[in-house]
């Protein structure tokens, strides 16, 4: 997006908007009744026991919460620096979420005892299953994209049937079909290969469309220029078209990889010892379900953040190359 | 279509009764044309007259539907096996250059010789530098096309084609996409090339170039060849009314 050089008035400076904001927040808080919450407890000296303060207490706590929130928003709007503003809001949201988790009364001792195993076994499996799958999916996608653009009816039919089938079935079902279906025709297949096959085929189908769009977006003059020099199809594809479409393909492919990282949790149903599987099984014995689920959630989130960072690095590198 | 091979010495390109359709639209009608070795031909005409389509039929970037197109003894048709060989012997320069933006100028020039003619990298480098010097931009060899001006890019495109040692050069409106001040540097390069004896077919609106360089000027309108003559006769004594009208519109400035 290109920013306009003329900016509008800051919305948090408009009294009308602040009044509207306050009212909305107040109504929301009033409905959810915050008198039992932290705010209610903080106001205990003034209101007495939160449980007995009734309608009056509800009004006061709701309005106090609304005032605090609006003041906070006002304070953020006064931060002059864009980066600082972003960091502040991020920290506040993070603290909010963490305190939400904290309120579950989790056993950190239990988390500490299991986290190393979750990282070495769970994250490791999740990462390598996803990485192998995305590589295979990319190969499938190139072939699928070329087949979908070809004038050969057979190739087009196979490719379109493939994309239609694997985009049309839930991934979970594909995992089951491959893991339980292959033994029916005499091939007993291990859980990890079955998971990799399912993820590759499913994401290959989605990425076929990404690659096709990337290839189609290259100017047809590039085809003509290469053909006029006497290049054959494979050469044009490898040396001229694909290198130019890769910068266009990388952002959506990065997206797919991040999505796959999380969808790989579906292969836990066939007993692959990845993050999700461990999260479900480790907590079972001692009923520490919440601990393990939240730990796994945090680990997934952290992996995703690292990947987003890597993706933006790669994108920047290609952008630099283009503007050479 | 029959796969006859002629090995005549005279014409390097011969087109007989060629017709081309885009769906129902009759783009080219009954084209007959022969170009002999060393000849410089300029094709002109109003926009939409089929001149670009005609020149693109000569290396089969476009398909013709009837008649025959014969390049250096090889008949062009849909099921032919060696189109890449024909194309590697027919250089083509495009209106929009069509350089490969992800490769340096030098790589653009060495790609053809190395990948198609299997020339060793060192020799390809020497060939490329030779032709880059010939179009006067050896110092830009390590830059990327986007860093060059339009005129420089077009000269690289000419050098890239020459690196394949083509027997014929086709120019499809080579100066139409250029800023006015860059037209002359490209035309100078083309004039140089013409003087070296290269067989050239040039689609252009540059009538000055036609007068100075061409052996023959062909005028096209509505997909037909209307008139074909030597430049002096063509410009001073045009035969058809359409040619007269076209010339009066082009030469006013």
């Amino acid at each position: 997006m290109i920013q306009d050089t003329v900016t509008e008035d800051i919305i948090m400076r408009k009294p009308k908007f602040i009044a509207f904001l306050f009212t909305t927040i107040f109504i929301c808080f009033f409905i959810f009744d915050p008198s039992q919450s932290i705010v209610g407890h903080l106001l205990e000296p003034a209101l007495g026991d939160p449980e007995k303060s009734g309608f009056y207490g509800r009004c006061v706590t709701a309005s106090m919460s609304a005032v605090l929130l609006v003041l906070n928003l006002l304070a953020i709007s006064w931060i002059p620096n864009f980066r600082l503003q972003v960091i502040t809001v991020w920290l506040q949201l993070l603290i909010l979420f963490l305190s939400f988790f904290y309120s579950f009364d989790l056993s950190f001792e239990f988390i500490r005892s299991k986290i190393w195993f979750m990282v070495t076994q769970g994250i490791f499996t999740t990462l390598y299953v996803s990485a192998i799958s995305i590589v295979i999916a990319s190969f499938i996608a190139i072939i699928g994209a070329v087949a979908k653009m070809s004038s050969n009816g057979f190739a087009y039919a196979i490719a379109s049937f493939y994309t239609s089938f694997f985009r049309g079935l839930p991934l979970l079902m594909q995992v089951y079909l491959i893991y339980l279906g292959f033994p029916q025709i005499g091939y007993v297949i291990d859980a990890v290969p079955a998971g990799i096959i399912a993820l590759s085929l499913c994401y290959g189908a989605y990425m076929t469309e990404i690659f096709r769009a990337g290839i189609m977006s290259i100017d047809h003059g590039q085809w003509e220029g290469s053909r006029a020099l006497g290049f054959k199809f494979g050469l044009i594809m490898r040396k001229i078209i694909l290198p130019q479409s890769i910068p266009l393909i990388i952002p959506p492919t990065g997206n797919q990889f991040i999505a796959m990282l999380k969808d790989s949790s579906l292969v836990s149903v066939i007993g692959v010892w990845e993050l999700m599987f461990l999260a479900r099984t480790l907590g079972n014995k001692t009923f520490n379900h919440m601990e393990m689920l939240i730990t796994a959630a945090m680990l997934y989130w952290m992996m995703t953040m690292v990947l987003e960072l890597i993706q933006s690095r790669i994108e920047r590198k290609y952008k630099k190359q283009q503007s050479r | 279509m029959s796969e006859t091979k002629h090995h005549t010495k005279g014409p390097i390109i011969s087109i007989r009764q060629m017709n081309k359709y885009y769906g129902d639209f009759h783009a080219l009608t009954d084209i007959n044309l022969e170009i002999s070795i060393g000849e410089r031909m300029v094709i002109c005409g109003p926009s939409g007259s089929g001149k670009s389509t005609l020149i693109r039929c000569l290396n089969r970037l476009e398909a013709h539907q009837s008649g025959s197109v014969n390049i250096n003894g090889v008949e062009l048709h849909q099921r032919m096996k060696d189109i890449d060989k024909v194309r590697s012997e027919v250089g083509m320069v495009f209106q929009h250059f069509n350089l490969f933006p992800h490769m340096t100028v030098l790589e653009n020039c060495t790609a053809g010789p190395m990948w198609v003619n299997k020339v060793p990298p060192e020799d390809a480098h020497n060939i490329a530098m030779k032709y880059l010097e010939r179009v006067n931009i050896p110092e830009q060899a390590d830059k990327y096309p986007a860093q060059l001006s339009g005129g420089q890019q077009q000269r690289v495109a000419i050098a890239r084609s020459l690196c394949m040692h083509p027997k014929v050069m086709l120019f499809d409106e080579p100066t139409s996409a250029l800023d006015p001040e860059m037209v002359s540097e490209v035309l100078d390069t083309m004039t140089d090339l013409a003087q070296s004896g290269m067989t050239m077919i040039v689609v252009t609106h540059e009538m000055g170039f036609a007068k100075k360089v061409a052996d023959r000027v062909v005028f096209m309108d509505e997909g037909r060849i209307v008139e074909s003559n030597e430049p002096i006769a063509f410009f001073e004594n045009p035969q058809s009314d359409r040619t007269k009208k076209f010339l009066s519109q082009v030469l006013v400035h």
Side-chain angles (χ1 to χ4, degrees), chain A residues 221-222 224 227-228 232 239, chain B residues 56 84 87 98-99 102:
Chain A
Q222 293 293 309
E224 293 184 346
R227 283 205 183 117
K232 288 190 190 339
K239 298 281 196 174
Chain B
R56 288 158 61 85
D84 305 313
R87 283 173 177 162
N98 297 354
L99 293 173
H102 59 301

Side-chain angles (χ1 to χ4, degrees), chain B residues 142-167:
Chain B
D142 293 322
K143 290 196 179 165
Y144 284 85
Q147 294 171 305
L148 271 53
S149 73
Q152 289 172 324
Q153 289 190 45
Q154 193 60 297
R155 284 186 284 150
V156 172
I158 294 172
R160 179 176 75 174
S161 289
L162 290 176
C163 286
M164 299 296 288
H165 301 302
K167 297 196 167 72

Side-chain angles (χ1 to χ4, degrees), chain A residues 232-243:
Chain A
K232 288 190 190 339
F233 176 80
L235 189 66
I236 302 177
M237 213 55 187
R238 260 185 311 127
K239 298 281 196 174
I240 308 297
I241 302 299
L242 280 179

Side-chain angles (χ1 to χ4, degrees), chain B residues 103-130:
Chain B
M103 291 154 69
T104 64
V105 165
L106 187 67
E107 287 165 346
N108 265 279
C109 293
T110 53
M114 276 167 58
W115 298 344
V116 179
N117 296 346
K118 309 293 175 203
V119 173
E122 273 171 44
D123 297 350
H125 179 272
N126 293 339
I127 296 171
M129 287 314 292
K130 177 179 143 196

